[in-house]
């Protein structure tokens, strides 16, 4: 067992950096950040898109089902002359399903860890895609005519559903 506290990292007998070690029990495995590689640059970017996949009206309730795609890209630039191995720690988002890459090198309770090889002097983009589906429900009687008009003109909804919402709007008026 190792207690929590500071530690110094040596690489081939030379100082490589400092780290803070969390409490580590027998057979535990920890990934420690102990220095910054100034020849590696990583710029993260995130984009989320949602699209309607299904809509129905049942007992006066408009039920819409959506799918959402979350893409986080990591723009990586290796300014060193030699190849580098980069570990990307990507947070696990509860309720989201990892799509690509199919399998991380490691998984912890709250992170996916991906191992990325980057040739010297090269740039590349590493993408992590996640998806989820979710539902929204609206009692049509609770909404005003303006909102019903917006739904009845929504191009994402199929024609039959738009006509049913328009009919509900005419009945409400």
């Amino acid at each position: 067992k190792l207690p929590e506290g500071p530690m110094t990292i040596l690489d081939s007998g030379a100082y490589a950096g400092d780290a803070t070690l969390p409490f580590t029990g027998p057979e535990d495995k920890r990934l420690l950040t102990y220095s910054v590689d100034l020849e590696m640059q990583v710029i993260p970017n995130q984009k989320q898109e949602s699209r309607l996949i299904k809509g129905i009206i049942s007992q006066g309730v408009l039920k819409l089902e959506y799918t959402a795609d979350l893409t986080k890209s990591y723009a990586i630039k290796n300014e060193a002359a030699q190849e580098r191995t980069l570990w990307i720690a990507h947070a696990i988002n509860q309720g989201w399903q990892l799509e690509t890459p199919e399998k991380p090198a490691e998984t912890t309770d709250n992170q996916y860890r991906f191992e990325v090889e980057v040739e010297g002097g090269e740039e590349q983009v590493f993408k992590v895609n996640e998806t989820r589906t979710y539902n929204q429900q609206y009692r049509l009687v609770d909404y005003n005519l303006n909102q019903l008009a917006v739904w009845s003109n929504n191009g994402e909804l199929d024609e039959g559903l738009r006509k049913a919402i328009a009919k509900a709007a005419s009945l409400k008026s």
Side-chain angles (χ1 to χ4, degrees):
K1 295 180 184 179
L2 293 173
E4 153 177 18
M7 64 183 296
T8 299
I9 310 294
L10 301 175
D11 184 10
S12 301
Y15 175 78
D18 293 311
T20 301
L21 181 69
F23 174 80
T24 307
E27 305 297 321
D28 280 357
K29 183 178 178 182
R30 299 281 190 250
L31 186 62
L32 299 175
T33 302
Y34 62 88
S35 68
V36 175
D37 186 345
L38 298 176
E39 294 180 320
M40 289 290 289
Q41 296 179 27
V42 179
I43 300 171
N45 188 20
Q46 184 168 301
K47 179 176 79 170
Q48 182 176 337
E49 295 177 349
S50 294
R51 66 185 173 283
L52 180 68
I53 55 174
K54 183 179 170 185
I56 62 168
I57 295 176
S58 175
Q59 298 178 352
V61 176
L62 174 61
K63 299 175 182 179
L64 301 175
E65 184 176 335
Y66 293 88
T67 184
D69 297 314
L70 178 64
T71 302
K72 187 152 189 182
S73 9
Y74 299 89
I76 305 164
K77 184 176 183 182
N78 181 1
E79 295 175 345
Q82 64 274 18
E83 178 183 75
R84 294 277 209 265
T85 300
L86 176 68
W87 282 85
I88 295 177
H90 179 83
I92 294 175
N93 297 306
Q94 295 302 319
W96 292 80
Q97 193 70 28
L98 181 65
E99 292 292 319
T100 58
E102 289 182 18
K103 187 175 180 188
E106 292 181 1
T107 302
T108 68
D109 290 340
N110 55 4
Q111 289 181 339
Y112 296 119
R113 292 183 181 153
F114 301 100
E115 186 176 1
V116 182
E117 303 290 332
V118 185
E119 293 294 326
E122 295 290 317
E123 295 181 30
Q124 71 183 63
V125 176
F126 182 79
K127 291 185 178 184
V128 179
N129 297 309
E130 299 171 278
T131 61
R132 76 178 182 117
T133 57
Y134 63 95
N135 299 305
Q136 293 181 333
Q137 296 185 14
Y138 307 95
R139 284 181 21 153
L140 293 177
V141 72
D142 294 340
Y143 289 88
N144 63 34
L145 292 174
N146 291 334
Q147 182 60 53
L148 294 175
V150 168
W151 281 326
S152 68
N153 291 312
N154 184 340
E156 285 186 288
L157 300 175
D158 68 55
E159 182 67 27
L161 189 55
R162 287 197 314 259
K163 285 181 181 178
I165 294 170
K167 182 175 180 181
S170 71
L171 291 172
K172 185 166 184 143
S173 69

